[in-house]
Amino acid sequence: MERSKGLMPTLETERLLLRPFEISDKEFVFDLHKDPQVMQFTGKQPMTTVLEAKLLLDEILHPEKGQYASYQLGRYAVIDKSTGKKIGSAGLNYTQSKNIIEIGYKFLKEFWGQGYATESCKALLDHGFNTRNFDSIAAHIAEENIGSQIVAERLGMQIHHRFLWEGVIPGRFYTMSKSTFKANNL
């Protein structure tokens, strides 16, 4: 994966605006990451302070090592266009050790089950395949995370294999190729 220069573009769907995070989003990032149910399948503990959110944003946005600056990839703040409210995060990340592009998301619980994950991920897949010209995009999903499995399958992603996260937690590795994306007219 070659490094890119510049900022991540803002993406838009019928109901959502996806924009790069800013340091000023630290309170929202804390609200999102402090909920144990939101964090349940992420492999990370819920946050306990706003400082943790600020440190996460500092790491994400750091110009030398952050994915925003290095690859024009990362998580977006997902905003409901009708209310202007931040409702979640979604994005594409590059995992250098595996040389894969991964899609992922988190939403505040009050917005679960309303199609926001599917809608934001469609925009990300479109951006990844049509703008960035990626060959494939993957998702690691915990075996017990039925909601995210449904989202992946709605998007047309296929199970490539099953695995153990950190050698302990059963998971599914989903993938989608550019040709599958184009054939599905997403």
Side-chain angles (χ1 to χ4, degrees):
M1 170 93 187
E2 73 181 56
R3 292 177 181 253
S4 301
K5 296 292 180 200
L7 299 174
M8 290 176 25
T10 296
L11 305 177
E12 196 167 340
T13 71
E14 183 179 328
R15 300 183 296 166
L16 305 172
L17 181 71
L18 286 73
R19 68 146 171 85
F21 273 107
E22 303 164 352
I23 288 293
S24 62
D25 294 321
K26 65 183 177 287
E27 294 285 343
F28 169 71
V29 169
F30 175 64
D31 287 342
L32 184 63
H33 288 82
K34 72 181 181 184
D35 187 319
Q37 284 184 288
V38 171
M39 299 303 292
Q40 181 178 3
F41 299 115
T42 67
K44 298 189 172 144
Q45 293 297 313
M47 289 183 177
T48 57
T49 67
V50 175
L51 178 59
E52 290 174 276
K54 183 189 179 304
L55 293 173
L56 175 63
L57 287 169
D58 283 342
E59 183 179 314
I60 289 169
L61 300 172
H62 193 274
E64 281 83 40
K65 63 182 178 181
Q67 290 209 11
Y68 277 13
S70 298
Y71 303 108
Q72 293 181 329
L73 292 175
R75 292 291 176 122
Y76 286 93
V78 179
I79 300 163
D80 180 323
K81 290 189 329 189
S82 68
T83 65
K85 181 176 171 93
K86 295 173 205 159
I87 63 171
S89 72
L92 297 171
N93 291 302
Y94 175 58
T95 303
Q96 191 171 12
S97 63
K98 298 176 184 174
N99 195 31
I100 58 173
I101 303 296
E102 294 183 81
I103 196 167
Y105 57 86
K106 293 181 195 89
F107 285 89
L108 295 169
K109 273 191 310 198
E110 64 193 91
F111 299 101
W112 289 4
Q114 298 178 43
Y116 293 122
T118 302
E119 187 172 335
S120 59
C121 287
K122 280 183 183 179
L124 291 165
L125 290 170
D126 179 66
H127 175 70
F129 290 127
N130 291 325
T131 303
R132 296 300 303 274
N133 203 30
F134 296 137
D135 291 325
S136 66
I137 295 175
H140 286 93
I141 301 174
E143 191 73 38
E144 293 180 9
N145 190 346
I146 304 302
S148 288
Q149 291 173 35
I150 290 169
V151 169
E153 290 165 10
R154 276 189 191 139
L155 294 168
M157 298 184 91
Q158 302 291 316
I159 295 175
H160 184 270
H161 64 271
R162 288 184 162 83
F163 67 99
L164 290 176
W165 239 322
E166 299 178 7
V168 180
I169 303 166
R172 296 177 179 202
F173 183 78
Y174 283 83
T175 62
M176 175 180 270
S177 67
K178 184 187 330 183
S179 60
T180 299
F181 177 80
K182 291 187 184 271
N184 289 342
N185 294 316
L186 289 174

